[in-house]
Amino acid sequence: MDKEYYLAELLPFWKEINQSARNALTAASMPVYYKAGTLLHAGREDCNGLFLLVSGRVRVYSITAEGKEVTLFRLLDRDVCLFSASCIMRNINFDVYISAEMDTEAVRIPAGIYDRLFKEQVSIAGFTNELLSSRMSDVMDIMEQVLFLSFDKRLARFLLDESALEQSDTLTLTHEQIANHLGSAREVVSRMLKYFSGEGLVAVSRGKIRLLNVDGLMALSQ
Amino acid sequence: MDKEYYLAELLPFWKEINQSARNALTAASMPVYYKAGTLLHAGREDCNGLFLLVSGRVRVYSITAEGKEVTLFRLLDRDVCLFSASCIMRNINFDVYISAEMDTEAVRIPAGIYDRLFKEQVSIAGFTNELLSSRMSDVMDIMEQVLFLSFDKRLARFLLDESALEQSDTLTLTHEQIANHLGSAREVVSRMLKYFSGEGLVAVSRGKIRLLNVDGLMALSQ
């Protein structure tokens, strides 16, 4: 993998920093590979640095003391994952977990070098602000859904989003996995899927959900 | 009001920027006063700039299309309010509303000058990142409460927090106001307060709630 190509391609500030900063970033960065299911980052204690995603997909989620999960957002290829470097941001008081949902290839920029350059280069600090703002927008969106949408609407939206993400009408997902995405309980998901199934919206089989009526799901999700 | 005193006092980067930047900030900033109940900022369209809170209290909240509210956080004196300048951050895709909960005195830094300096001065960009991270931590905290705490626990926490904020056992709050803080419905709040009242935790009278058993509320809130 040509790491310098991806640094130049995925970091919008690349042309605005001087050659010595570019050299320092290139020297410190490294290609990394994660098998589907691997954990890239486990809470604040962990400080791997930024990941520039070249291919694959990661899921960024929160876990409560009781082990309940909720997905905050996903990152796809060409996205930059900042929260794996949350140690460099003093006021981040929450733990996020990041796992590879597919085999994932990335360039890792260690936290130390990013922290140093980010304090020196205004274009890097500006980019970091933009990343933070985007992720905060994602989290606000999830919060508004959680607060103000009934669970049937949230589940319908989730199934439609997954179908678009996977580019398939058939989703390979357990009820437990869906519950972990939505911050819900497996029983609640199973009950609602049973209702969706009775309405002819989906067909549920072991570990698979097939979308039968996309228009119906869309109407429900509004 | 000596606005320069508050700029120097509340902006941690003040000593790190040069005299010309300090002069520009001082010249552009202005003292502002808001009566309790006034709206300081209404969604993304609005771009007043940053507020440095000298005294008083503001509430930052979200409103859905249906008019439901939820409080994201409060800012007190010596806090800096960034979201009233969210127009300068490209990736903020949510609307927040900000209102004065008490008579509030602040220094307003217009968005234009902040935007310019923030793109030039790495210490200002760094401070902005810290503000964003803090507020994102607040929002994550609210989201985890909404997702993973039952409503009785959330209401108990809210009453205890309000009592600490007001330094009083008696809170002047309608059920509607509590519902708007918690992203809930008035009926849900009334029902739970009736239950709390039956358990001897609070005494409810017209527009007032008195905390009778703080230990009991604490035990419930865990």
Side-chain angles (χ1 to χ4, degrees):
Chain A
M1 187 207 293
D2 180 357
K3 64 183 181 179
E4 194 166 355
Y5 169 82
Y6 290 107
L7 290 167
E9 196 68 14
L10 301 184
L11 297 174
F13 56 75
W14 193 251
K15 287 196 181 124
E16 290 170 48
I17 60 177
N18 60 32
Q19 191 58 45
S20 108
R22 285 200 289 262
N23 291 343
L25 272 172
T26 308
S29 299
M30 60 205 83
V32 285
Y33 303 90
Y34 293 94
K35 282 268 166 216
T38 320
L39 211 55
L40 280 71
H41 175 82
R44 257 171 304 172
E45 305 297 295
D46 224 353
C47 205
N48 270 324
L50 275 80
F51 292 98
L52 313 188
L53 297 194
V54 171
S55 68
R57 188 167 86 211
V58 303
R59 169 181 174 239
V60 181
Y61 57 104
S62 174
I63 312 186
T64 60
E66 296 77 29
K68 276 195 178 184
E69 296 184 8
V70 64
T71 299
L72 301 173
F73 48 85
R74 260 88 158 253
L75 298 172
L76 312 178
D77 52 292
R78 311 190 82 74
D79 279 333
V80 176
C81 180
L82 174 68
F83 281 117
S84 42
S86 62
C87 60
I88 69 176
M89 287 172 286
R90 277 200 306 174
N91 297 325
I92 295 280
N93 299 324
F94 51 91
D95 282 317
V96 296
Y97 291 75
I98 306 174
S99 68
E101 285 197 314
M102 300 163 50
D103 289 352
T104 294
E105 196 179 11
V107 176
R108 181 167 83 80
I109 304 175
I113 179 86
Y114 194 82
D115 188 33
R116 177 165 74 76
L117 292 176
F118 150 91
K119 284 176 180 147
E120 284 170 8
Q121 313 269 340
V122 76
S123 61
I124 302 188
F127 172 67
T128 310
N129 269 311
E130 287 187 12
L131 283 181
L132 264 179
S133 305
S134 290
R135 297 297 84 82
M136 182 139 178
S137 295
D138 291 338
V139 168
M140 283 291 296
D141 185 46
I142 295 288
M143 183 155 86
E144 294 191 354
Q145 290 192 32
V146 165
L147 268 169
F148 301 119
L149 285 189
S150 53
F151 190 71
D152 57 343
K153 288 191 202 300
R154 288 181 61 216
L155 181 58
R157 282 191 188 194
F158 173 75
L159 295 174
L160 292 167
D161 288 349
E162 286 300 301
S163 166
L165 202 57
E166 301 287 353
Q167 298 180 289
S168 166
D169 281 352
T170 303
L171 307 174
T172 307
L173 278 168
T174 65
H175 299 190
E176 179 80 33
Q177 285 173 316
I178 298 175
N180 287 344
H181 278 297
L182 297 175
S184 184
R186 190 183 49 74
E187 301 72 30
V188 176
V189 172
S190 297
R191 205 180 309 131
M192 193 59 77
L193 282 174
K194 197 170 172 187
Y195 167 74
F196 281 12
S197 169
E199 298 288 306
L201 296 167
V202 300
V204 180
S205 57
R206 197 175 177 79
K208 294 219 188 289
I209 295 156
R210 195 149 61 84
L211 275 55
L212 298 179
N213 179 354
V214 167
D215 290 345
L217 285 167
M218 277 190 180
L220 181 60
S221 75
Q222 299 306 310
Chain B
M1 187 208 293
D2 180 356
K3 63 183 182 179
E4 194 167 354
Y5 169 81
Y6 289 107
L7 290 167
E9 196 68 15
L10 301 184
L11 297 174
F13 56 76
W14 193 251
K15 288 195 180 125
E16 290 170 48
I17 59 177
N18 59 32
Q19 190 60 42
S20 107
R22 284 200 289 261
N23 291 345
L25 273 171
T26 307
S29 300
M30 60 206 80
V32 284
Y33 303 90
Y34 293 94
K35 281 269 167 214
T38 321
L39 210 55
L40 280 71
H41 175 83
R44 258 171 302 172
E45 303 298 293
D46 224 352
C47 205
N48 270 324
L50 276 80
F51 291 98
L52 313 187
L53 297 193
V54 171
S55 67
R57 187 166 85 213
V58 304
R59 168 180 175 241
V60 181
Y61 57 106
S62 175
I63 312 186
T64 61
E66 295 78 30
K68 278 196 177 182
E69 297 183 8
V70 64
T71 298
L72 301 173
F73 48 85
R74 261 92 155 250
L75 298 172
L76 312 179
D77 52 293
R78 312 190 81 72
D79 280 332
V80 176
C81 180
L82 174 67
F83 281 116
S84 42
S86 62
C87 59
I88 68 175
M89 287 173 287
R90 279 200 306 174
N91 297 324
I92 295 280
N93 299 323
F94 51 91
D95 282 317
V96 298
Y97 292 75
I98 306 175
S99 69
E101 285 197 314
M102 301 164 50
D103 288 352
T104 294
E105 195 179 9
V107 176
R108 181 166 82 80
I109 304 174
I113 178 86
Y114 195 81
D115 189 33
R116 177 165 74 76
L117 292 175
F118 149 91
K119 283 175 180 148
E120 285 169 9
Q121 312 268 340
V122 77
S123 61
I124 301 188
F127 172 67
T128 310
N129 270 312
E130 287 187 11
L131 284 180
L132 264 180
S133 306
S134 290
R135 297 298 84 80
M136 181 139 179
S137 295
D138 291 338
V139 168
M140 283 293 297
D141 185 47
I142 295 288
M143 182 155 86
E144 294 192 352
Q145 290 191 33
V146 165
L147 268 169
F148 301 118
L149 285 188
S150 52
F151 190 71
D152 56 342
K153 289 192 203 297
R154 289 181 61 216
L155 182 58
R157 281 191 189 192
F158 173 77
L159 295 174
L160 291 167
D161 288 348
E162 285 301 299
S163 166
L165 202 58
E166 301 287 353
Q167 298 180 288
S168 165
D169 280 352
T170 303
L171 307 174
T172 307
L173 278 168
T174 65
H175 300 190
E176 179 79 33
Q177 285 173 316
I178 298 175
N180 287 344
H181 278 297
L182 296 176
S184 184
R186 191 184 49 74
E187 301 73 28
V188 176
V189 172
S190 297
R191 204 180 309 132
M192 192 59 77
L193 282 173
K194 197 169 172 186
Y195 167 74
F196 281 11
S197 169
E199 297 288 306
L201 296 167
V202 301
V204 180
S205 58
R206 197 175 177 79
K208 294 219 186 290
I209 294 156
R210 195 150 60 83
L211 276 55
L212 298 178
N213 179 354
V214 168
D215 290 344
L217 284 167
M218 278 192 180
L220 181 61
S221 76
Q222 299 306 310

